Amino acid sequence: MIDIQIIPILKDNYTYLLQSSCGTVAVLDPGEAGPVIEVLNAQGLNLDFILNTHHHWDHTDGNAALKRKYSAKIVAPEKEGALIKNIDIAVKEGDIFTLGTERAQIIETPGHTRGGICFYFKDSAAIFTGDTLFSLGCGRLFEGTAQDMFNGFQKIMALPDETMIYCGHEYTRGNAGFCLAHDRSNEDLKKRIEQIKALRANNQPTIPTSLAMEKKTNIFIRAKSAEEFAALRLKKDNF
Ligand code: ZN
Ligand code: FE
């Protein structure tokens, strides 16, 4: 099992500190280095790997300082090799990234960006989705098509229901309003919104969420076709 710690950074981003049972350490999507260094210092940890789901600055701006300080290796999507500096291990669909005793499968999920990936730790039932899938939402289509993102969702939907989803932003509360506006009689969604409000009132993350929960409440991954998804995404862009 991997140990996962959430490090809130910037305005509403989440960076994740991952530790294998044998003590190998990785940070995922460090949009800034400072808060990561603080956590590593406080816990007396070194940093072995920096993982990136996609090239956006709020997920990668901490790469350089962390790599310099810890000699950590950067693991990032091969298809974004021209956009992310100093990649040591370029990964693509089906590759396995090994974090000490743990293994992560690379799942390509373009749409938000052209080469975005998810890291899926099967034995820990955890997936890091970056800005592809959020709780009750999904990323904007900046570089890919609705069909791209829909295809990526089908790959995620095929994972076990108990899979826990760790995404790149705390957008859940805002997303909830849009889901509810389109799904007014969904009792699971209403219950989830109460839970979200309580968590946010205490400044707690709403992440992780489970795939089972998202299947019941996230109208984007519930879309039955790329066309249905495209129409929802467009409405959300103007919500
Ligand atoms: Zn992004
Ligand atoms: Fe982002």
Side-chain angles (χ1 to χ4, degrees):
M1 291 281 283
I2 44 167
D3 179 81
I4 303 168
Q5 292 181 60
I6 301 180
I7 307 175
I9 61 160
L10 302 169
K11 186 165 146 269
D12 51 28
N13 276 76
Y14 287 138
T15 282
Y16 297 100
L17 191 69
L18 316 182
Q19 262 184 283
S20 76
S21 38
C22 63
T24 308
V25 180
V27 66
L28 183 127
D29 282 356
E32 56 179 341
V36 177
I37 293 169
E38 269 177 43
V39 172
L40 291 168
N41 275 346
Q43 298 177 26
L45 296 171
N46 191 26
L47 182 67
D48 302 293
F49 295 100
I50 297 161
L51 316 181
N52 296 136
T53 59
H54 65 294
H55 69 83
H56 286 157
W57 70 272
D58 60 319
H59 301 253
T60 56
D61 262 14
N63 278 15
L66 292 169
K67 185 178 170 72
R68 206 181 311 122
K69 186 169 168 65
Y70 299 97
S71 300
K73 289 194 165 64
I74 297 177
V75 183
E78 187 179 82
K79 287 182 178 154
E80 298 190 351
L83 298 165
I84 299 173
K85 290 196 189 85
N86 300 314
I87 297 179
D88 296 284
I89 304 172
V91 290
K92 59 178 188 308
E93 177 77 21
D95 282 357
I96 299 291
F97 163 68
T98 303
L99 179 73
T101 45
E102 314 296 330
R103 292 152 58 86
Q105 184 189 327
I106 305 303
I107 302 176
E108 288 182 350
T109 52
H112 180 66
T113 61
R114 265 186 45 217
I117 57 172
C118 297
F119 290 83
Y120 173 47
F121 290 83
K122 185 167 182 263
D123 295 340
S124 301
I127 186 168
F128 296 87
T129 57
D131 290 356
T132 292
L133 180 62
F134 297 126
S135 183
L136 301 181
C138 70
R140 284 175 186 262
L141 298 171
F142 286 126
E143 300 174 13
T145 64
Q147 184 74 57
D148 289 335
M149 194 170 271
F150 178 79
N151 293 347
F153 287 168
Q154 305 319 302
K155 295 184 201 176
I156 295 171
M157 296 276 272
L159 304 177
D161 273 355
E162 62 270 22
T163 306
M164 299 308 285
I165 297 167
Y166 295 82
C167 59
H169 291 266
E170 180 60 65
Y171 286 161
T172 316
R173 183 79 200 265
N175 289 341
F178 182 77
C179 281
L180 190 62
H182 289 81
D183 201 3
R184 289 228 167 266
S185 54
N186 185 331
E187 294 303 321
D188 292 312
L189 178 59
K190 288 179 195 165
K191 264 184 246 157
R192 170 72 172 144
I193 290 173
E194 289 314 308
Q195 189 190 41
I196 290 161
K197 283 183 186 164
L199 286 167
R200 296 311 291 155
N202 292 307
N203 215 11
Q204 294 295 307
T206 62
I207 305 306
T209 177
S210 69
L211 183 55
M213 175 60 76
E214 295 306 310
K215 280 182 176 178
K216 285 192 271 188
T217 54
N218 183 327
I219 57 172
F220 295 95
I221 61 162
R222 300 181 73 183
K224 294 285 180 283
S225 66
E227 291 70 33
E228 186 188 342
F229 166 68
L232 283 171
R233 186 59 263 181
L234 194 66
K235 270 192 197 165
K236 177 84 185 335
D237 290 344
N238 302 310
F239 187 62

